[in-house]
Structures are given as C-alpha cells and as structure tokens.
Amino acid sequence: MKKDQWIMGIETSCDETAVAIIKNGREIAANVVASQIESHKRFGGVVPEIASRHHVEQITIVIEEALNQAELSFADIDAIAVTEGPGLVGALLIGVNAAKALAFAHNIPLIPVHHIAGHIYANRLVTELKFPLLSLVVSGGHTELVYMKEHGHFQVIGETRDDAAGEAYDKVARTLNLPYPGGPHIDRLAQEGSPTLDLPRAWLEEGSYDFSFSGLKSAVINTVHNAEQRGEIIAPEDLAASFQESVIEVLVKKTEKAAGEYKVNQVLLAGGVAANKGLRTTLENVFKEHTAIELVIPPLSLCTDNAAMIAAAGSIMFDKGIRADLSLNANPGLDIELYNE
Ligand code: KG4
Ligand code: ZN
C-alpha cells in the first residue's frame, strides 16, 4: 500500500499567521489561522511592522497547534511548503525563516509556493481539478484570470491595471466609514440595498481580459462627496449595492467570455473576495447555463488567507520535484508564471 503523504503549509504573507497539514494533497488534517485583524482595525488597514511582530509571536504556537490537531510529529511530515511571495516582505520573512529552520532541523524537503497558486489550489480541497481550467483570482492584492493547462502551470490571461477588487472594496468601505477589512461589510450592505446609482464599468479594449477598478472607486468617492456638498443623503446600502453590481458584472462577464474562448472544463473562484455572496450567486446563475463547465467555489474559510491552500499547492509542487534550498528568500514581487517550465 502506498504511504500517505503529509505536507505542512506555512502562510505569513499578510495579516494571518497560518499553518496547516494536508494528507495526500486533498484532505485537511489541520488548519490553524491566527488572524491579526483586530490589531490592524484601528489603523484602517494592515500596518506592515505590526504584522511582522505578530507573526514572530504567533508562528511557533500555530505550528505546534497544527501538529496537535493532526496528531502528528515532524517525523511524519514529508515536506514543508511555505509562501515565498508575493506579500509584505517583513511578514513573508517570518514564514520563510520558520520553514527553513524546521526543514534544516528535521531534515525535511522545503517547497516554495506562490501565494496566488495557493488561492487557486484551495479548490483542490473541494474537488479534483480538471484541465484545462480557468481561475478567477480576486483578493486584496490581486485580480487576475489565470489559465491552467495542467498542474503547476499558470498563464495570466488578464489582470488589473490599477487597484485589485478587494482593494477597491476596502477603499469604498472606508469612504462609508465602515471598519477594515471593508469587503464583508459592503457585501452585507449590498444585500439590503438596490443598485439605484449609475456607476461606471471598465470594459477596456475589445478582447482584453484585463480589469480596472480605480475609476469605479473614484466615481463612488465623488458621488459621496458631491452628495455631501449638496446636503443630500445617499443610502449607504444603495451605494454598496450599486458598487457591488458594477464590480461583479465586469468580473463575471469577462470570466464567462474567457471560459468560452479557452474551452475550459472548470472555472475556479479564488481569493478573499471569493467570499462575496453577490459574486458567488451571480457566478452560480451564469454557469448554470454552461452545462459543460463545472464551477467550483471553495467554502468561505478556504477563500481568505490560510495555509491549507499553501500545502495543497505544495503537494503538487512536491510531486513535480520542485524544492528550495536554505538560500530561499522572501520575494514580495514574485511572478506566478516563473513556475512554468
Ligand atoms: O485573499 P485575502 O484574504 O488576502 C489577500 O491575499 O489579499 O483577501 C482579502 C480581501 C480584502 O480586501 C477583503 O475586504 C476582501 O478580501 N473580502 C471581501 C469579502 N470578504 C473578504 N470582499 C468582498 N466581499 C466579501 N464578502
Ligand atoms: Zn490572499
């Protein structure tokens, strides 16, 4: 009988200290996330120095808890997968150095993982991937359409030219005086309002799969300021609903078009904004019509940053023979296409 494969994942690219253990690439044995949101909230965003300090304080505790949850020791772990980038350099360094120290001390192979590859591979914890596939990646730092012809091969066919979708959500939320991170608050308000305001949609040139959200963000901010100057009140739930409709319409139409053009078998949703109820429902409704394409949407806990997704991607990299040595460094601007042979 084939021995089970156990991969430990470590993720510290932003404001979650996360460690997970995955069995045979697809089963979660442990998934521990220590969130720092409370510490960053009062600053209205992630403060890099505070993030790094929290990671240092949490990392060994979170590693130990993951081993306890899985009822394993380092002797059982086949490889340690760690987020190499992109992200905040000081935050990434904590995870990378912890992973290197453990790999060295216990003589375990080390696997470098791209954060977005992790978000995409969260879907493999839901169902087996069927290629070719298209992944809509929407997070606080990224908005991309990624085409995959096979495991571990990533082709970015479209990306944002300015703000990421999550960033636009957070900035609009700040304009409405909602707490950080604003995405879930806008999502909740949007369910209570109607899209009564006419806001722009950035389709860009014909045939482009790129995105742009800065114009929309400015339009929302201007709408709020103009109303204030005229002494008018715009219902925040209607503003949220109008903003959300504009974001979702562009994301979903471009995804649908690309899925058809690239003749994919699956469409995956990935990244923190994948937690958005409006986006999930709209994608479900649209892809109901495309019976040849399977739509995969991870549960909320696997959409926002976690280490189960890093271990899931790490398992594929491990099978492909990808290894890092002890010179591995944090790479805040890492390009996902560098993984392609
Ligand atoms: O993937 P993630 O956890 O971190 C990054 O890698 O960036 O994504 C965080 C982003 C934040 O901008 C947050 O506001 C957004 O995901 N987000 C949402 C929702 N939940 C989280 N945006 C819209 N609707 C949501 N329900
Ligand atoms: Zn992320």
Side-chain angles (χ1 to χ4, degrees), residues 13-16 115-116 119 138-142 165-167 169-170 180-185 187 244 271-277 303-305:
S13 69
C14 191
D15 59 345
E16 330 277 354
H115 183 76
I116 296 302
H119 273 300
V138 271
S139 74
H142 294 259
E167 204 178 340
Y169 265 94
D170 294 339
Y180 175 85
H185 296 281
D187 191 14
Q244 175 140 314
V273 184
N276 188 274
K277 283 196 203 70
C303 289
T304 44
D305 287 349

